[in-house]
Every structure is written in C-alpha cells, then in structure tokens.
C-alpha cells in the first residue's frame, strides 16, 4: 500500500539514522581523529615546526565542522525551521572541504617529500569517504518522501 504523507511524518527510519550520525557518530569520529592526529604527529613538531601549523588548522576545521554537524542534526531532530537547508548546507561544506582541505593544508606548509607522500594515501581515502557520504546524504535529503512530509510547511 502507498503510504500517505501523514504516515511518513516524523523523525524515523533513515532520517533518524541521519540525525544520529550528525549529532553523535560524526562528532565522536572527529574527536577521535583529532586525538589520534595529535598523538601520532606531535612527536615530529620539534623536527618540523611547520607541521604544528597544519595540525592546528586541521583541528580548528574539524571542531567547526563538528559544531555544524551537531547543529544540523539537532535542527533536523527538533523539526526546526530551515532544518533541511541547514543539513544540506552542512553536507555541501563537508563535500567542498573534503576535497579542498588536503590541498590547502599541503599548500600551507612545505613538508619533506617523504612525509608528504606518506599522507597522500590516507588523504585520498578521506576525500573519497567525504565525497561519498556528502553526495549520498544530499541525495537523500533532496529525494526522501519522509523528509518532504516531515518538513513540509
């Protein structure tokens, strides 16, 4: 049977999953990444003082994105006005930054060739994950009947 708009209203299913990702899962992963980055990279600060600049900028970026993620998730969860627009904006920024940040950070400070090459593989994985998740969730927010029914004016 075809579900009516009333049946689809509410934060359930994939929409609930997205809210969990934005408010809990993504911030926890970002905190873990920040901690691991500092743990792994900080011993090299003495030999490569410019590396600290990269880590500080990356940490600031991650903290801002974490706050934006939580704001988007809470907005969706609480059915706030413009919640879908906020979430879409978050994913557009995540898409742009997932592609741009590795290039920006690499251009910010000149690192030795060996270190630069070692980071490329990990950065490529992060870019692919960021692009895929952003595109999938942007598509979901744009095409979901539940999202349309729940946030209709």
């Amino acid at each position: 049977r075809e579900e009516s708009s009333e049946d689809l209203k509410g934060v359930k299913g994939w929409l609930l999953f997205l809210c969990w990702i934005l408010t809990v899962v993504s911030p926890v992963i970002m905190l873990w990444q920040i901690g691991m980055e500092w743990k792994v990279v900080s011993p090299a600060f003495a030999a490569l003082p410019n590396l600290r600049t990269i880590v500080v900028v990356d940490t600031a970026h991650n903290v801002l994105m974490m706050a934006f993620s939580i704001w988007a998730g809470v907005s969706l969860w609480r059915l706030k006005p413009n919640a879908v627009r906020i979430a879409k904006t978050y994913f557009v920024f995540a898409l742009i930054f997932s592609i741009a940040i590795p290039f920006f950070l690499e251009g910010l400070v000149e690192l030795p060739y060996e270190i630069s090459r070692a980071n490329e593989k990990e950065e490529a994985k992060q870019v692919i994950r960021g692009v895929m998740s952003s595109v999938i969730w942007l598509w979901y927010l744009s095409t979901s009947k539940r999202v349309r029914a729940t946030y209709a004016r």
Side-chain angles (χ1 to χ4, degrees), residues 30-151:
M30 285 186 216
L31 281 174
W32 180 82
Q33 286 176 328
I34 290 168
M36 289 304 296
E37 184 174 35
W38 279 91
K39 180 181 177 184
V40 169
V41 177
S42 62
F45 287 167
L48 301 164
N50 293 337
L51 188 57
R52 180 186 300 272
T53 304
I54 290 176
V55 176
V56 168
V57 170
D58 194 41
T59 298
H61 162 258
N62 281 326
V63 168
L64 290 172
M65 289 303 289
M66 189 177 358
F68 197 175
S69 177
I70 293 168
W71 178 41
V74 168
S75 296
L76 287 170
W77 223 325
R78 292 189 175 177
L79 306 175
K80 296 285 186 184
N82 299 316
V84 175
R85 186 176 334 152
I86 292 166
K88 285 181 176 181
T89 303
Y90 167 78
F91 285 114
V92 167
F93 274 96
L95 177 65
I96 292 167
F97 285 136
S98 66
I99 295 168
I101 284 291
F103 295 109
F104 172 75
L105 292 177
E106 194 156 315
L108 188 63
V109 176
E110 181 102 11
L111 292 175
Y113 178 77
E114 300 80 29
I115 293 175
S116 183
R117 290 289 293 168
N119 285 333
E120 285 178 3
K121 194 172 191 178
E122 186 57 36
E123 288 172 352
K125 284 191 243 177
Q126 288 180 355
V127 167
I128 291 168
R129 280 192 299 262
V131 168
M132 287 179 58
S133 65
S134 293
V135 167
I136 288 168
W137 287 117
L138 281 166
W139 174 81
Y140 170 76
L141 289 167
S142 298
T143 61
S144 167
K145 292 177 184 177
R146 178 173 304 283
V147 170
R148 200 168 20 257
T150 301
Y151 300 97

